Amino acid sequence: MDKISMKTDIYLGQGALDRLSEWRNRRIFVVTDPFMVKSGMINLLFERLHDSNEQYIFSNIVPDPPVEIVTEGVEALGAFQADLMIAIGGGSAIDAAKAMKLFAHKLLDQHDMPFVAIPTTSGTGSEVTSFSVISDKEKNIKYPLVSDDMLPQEAILDPELVKSVPDFITADTGMDVLTHAIEAYVSTKANDISDALAEKAIKLVLAYLPRAYQDGNDLEAREKMHNASCLAGMAFNITSLGLNHGIAHVAGAKFKIAHGRMNALLLPHVIAYNADYKPGYGKEESNAAAVRYAEIASILGLTAPHAKSGVRSLIQAIKQLQKQLKMPQTLQECGVERAALEEMRGAIAEGALQDGCTATNPRVPTAADVVEILNKMYQS
């Protein structure tokens, strides 16, 4: 038996930020990053908040937020006696705020504080998920936290906020969306509801990510990618993810490669591994994951008379998309030295197998499998 809950109210489309004007007489704890403050983008929020509110800005957020920043935020939140939290920024700001909410719930007995998430990138889907990723800088490890206590009560998806996102970040975050959706579709916990969400997200990414990359002011493409990110987040919140993210959490931290970019590097190789795709195998040898990947190929209108060609065409479409987005396709292109890979691949494999996302992968991996994937990623 599956249980599916949609607990986050979603305001989407142009003008969605106007929802903020409805809050009154609140002590608002705003979690954001330094860029939002320095660039003045934070004013898009303050222009809409009523004068009866008081605000505290916590803008110490850094990429891959460490435990120390979360602890600092919880202390500030308690001292300010906030009764509403708003996170505005990329995945790091929202993930940090979610972790703060979780620990405020446990340490400060703060149970009823509403939480509003406003993403300024189209990638993580964090505004609708029970997941948060926090880093241990000393160990170079990312820890996924999972708790429904972190779910935002509201998410605001306004495409106006993502128009200024640089093209390379648009590419990285967009490939993160695609990875979320594909992993949700082949997850061992997939069901009809998650499939519908994932399918739509995949179609939107293939149709609109190249447009959003080429022209950041293409508001239709921006809005569609923002929606795709949310849909994919809703999908994987039901199903969890898979080995792609299991490896990316560890390898991204070790090699200092952006999360979405690391997922993109991995995606063709993890698909091939899960489908057990090797040139020459026949239809009768196709596994369940291969059939699911072939379904995605069919949804996208790619040639897929049987699983083997479906897997191949899906991998080719992903690689072609990476080329359109001018993304690196190997670890070597990302500046990783072979000696560094050889030194770290054992620890990456061990960490990937322990990562919670790997538990719902359609094929049960071994450490040797992960090492082989990493080796293929180096110079494919």
Side-chain angles (χ1 to χ4, degrees):
M1 181 176 68
D2 295 326
K3 178 184 176 182
I4 297 171
S5 300
M6 304 291 185
K7 297 182 178 180
T8 304
D9 294 332
I10 302 170
Y11 298 82
L12 72 163
Q14 296 180 46
L17 275 173
D18 292 342
R19 158 60 184 158
L20 292 169
S21 65
E22 299 177 33
W23 292 102
R24 296 285 195 281
N25 301 304
R26 292 282 184 164
R27 296 181 63 79
I28 305 175
F29 189 78
V30 179
V31 180
T32 190
D33 56 66
F35 173 78
M36 290 293 295
V37 176
K38 291 176 183 176
S39 68
M41 282 186 67
I42 195 73
N43 293 329
L44 292 172
L45 184 151
F46 292 124
E47 288 167 1
R48 290 165 172 80
L49 290 174
H50 192 263
D51 291 342
S52 64
N53 299 300
E54 291 186 46
Q55 291 89 228
Y56 180 102
I57 304 174
F58 185 88
S59 61
N60 298 357
I61 303 303
V62 295
D64 301 321
V67 175
E68 293 80 5
I69 292 291
V70 173
T71 302
E72 185 182 335
V74 172
E75 292 173 352
L77 188 153
F80 180 63
Q81 297 183 318
D83 58 14
L84 169 64
M85 182 160 64
I86 297 176
I88 180 167
S92 294
I94 296 175
D95 273 13
K98 289 164 77 172
M100 290 173 199
K101 187 176 190 296
L102 177 65
F103 291 112
H105 178 92
K106 295 181 181 296
L107 302 176
L108 305 178
D109 200 30
Q110 173 64 273
H111 297 282
D112 302 319
M113 179 176 62
F115 174 28
V116 180
I118 309 174
T120 59
T121 59
S122 305
T124 66
S126 188
E127 68 275 3
V128 289
T129 75
S130 306
F131 294 79
S132 173
V133 180
I134 302 301
S135 298
D136 184 325
K137 296 295 186 182
E138 289 185 8
K139 296 181 180 178
N140 276 338
I141 294 175
K142 297 181 182 181
Y143 294 108
L145 305 176
V146 186
S147 172
D148 285 347
D149 290 335
M150 296 190 296
L151 269 171
Q153 276 69 45
E154 295 184 5
I156 296 176
L157 307 178
D158 196 319
E160 191 69 28
L161 289 168
V162 291
K163 285 200 310 182
S164 61
V165 175
D167 57 1
F168 70 95
I169 295 179
T170 297
D172 288 349
T173 54
M175 290 302 294
D176 197 19
V177 175
L178 184 61
T179 307
H180 289 156
I182 290 176
E183 288 211 290
Y185 195 79
V186 301
S187 164
T188 57
K189 289 187 177 180
N191 56 46
D192 289 344
I193 307 300
S194 62
D195 283 357
L197 296 165
E199 287 173 19
K200 184 63 176 179
I202 292 167
K203 290 169 73 174
L204 288 174
V205 171
L206 269 292
Y208 291 100
L209 179 54
R211 281 176 51 179
Y213 173 81
Q214 290 159 10
D215 179 8
N217 290 311
D218 184 338
L219 212 55
E220 181 187 20
R222 289 296 198 184
E223 183 172 342
K224 294 297 188 182
M225 280 304 302
H226 226 27
N227 294 346
S229 176
C230 186
L231 286 164
M234 294 166 73
F236 84 75
N237 202 49
I238 295 169
T239 64
S240 189
L241 291 161
L243 181 61
N244 212 111
H245 271 77
I247 298 174
H249 287 148
V250 191
K254 297 285 190 189
F255 297 136
K256 310 295 188 218
I257 297 173
H259 176 68
R261 181 163 298 194
M262 178 56 74
N263 271 323
L265 290 167
L266 281 159
L267 190 55
H269 301 283
V270 172
I271 289 174
Y273 166 75
N274 283 337
D276 197 19
Y277 173 69
K278 298 181 180 66
Y281 82 79
K283 180 180 178 183
E284 68 281 0
E285 298 175 69
S286 303
N287 64 20
V291 172
R292 295 287 279 172
Y293 289 127
E295 288 175 5
I296 295 173
S298 179
I299 290 163
L300 294 173
L302 306 173
T303 303
H306 50 74
K308 176 184 175 181
S309 59
V311 172
R312 181 172 62 244
S313 61
L314 178 60
I315 290 173
Q316 288 173 343
I318 291 168
K319 289 184 175 181
Q320 182 58 40
L321 179 59
Q322 289 173 308
K323 290 178 182 177
Q324 283 182 273
L325 304 176
K326 296 182 173 59
M327 299 185 76
Q329 292 185 272
T330 67
L331 287 172
Q332 187 178 41
E333 288 179 62
C334 292
V336 176
E337 299 288 342
R338 182 173 289 278
L341 173 63
E342 292 175 356
E343 178 187 347
M344 295 181 183
R345 61 192 177 189
I348 291 171
E350 182 180 347
L353 297 184
Q354 294 173 354
D355 190 285
C357 292
T358 302
T360 45
N361 195 65
R363 184 177 173 188
V364 179
T366 65
D369 292 333
V370 176
V371 168
E372 184 177 357
I373 289 170
L374 291 169
N375 288 340
K376 287 179 178 178
M377 284 172 64
Y378 185 76
Q379 191 178 14
S380 57

